[in-house]
Amino acid sequence: MSISKSEAKQLLERMIFEETSPQDWVQDVWGLSPLLGDSAAKLFEAFEMLIECCPEEKLDNLLQSLYREYLDSE
């Protein structure tokens, strides 16, 4: 069963940013260093664009692979 792009995005955000919202993460990095904050904002923007242009099947495969790796590492 394939998941939607919005579901994939939510799952990836939880895996990457854990309990922090991506926007809060960018602001936190910006607070530490404006130069790194700018890079963090660009990175998050690229993340969102990749989610939008990637087919749902590919996102589903990516998530399955990442979760398999996660489970194997425990």
Side-chain angles (χ1 to χ4, degrees), residues 1 5 8 13 19 22 32 39 44 48-49 52 56 58-59 62-63 71:
M1 182 169 116
K5 284 187 179 194
E13 284 177 354
E19 294 184 20
L32 296 171
S39 295
F44 180 61
E48 288 187 313
M49 286 189 279
E52 283 305 310
E56 287 181 2
K58 297 266 186 194
L59 289 171
L62 173 64
L63 282 165
L71 292 174

Side-chain angles (χ1 to χ4, degrees), residues 6 41 45 57 65:
S6 64
E45 186 177 336
E57 181 182 344
S65 175

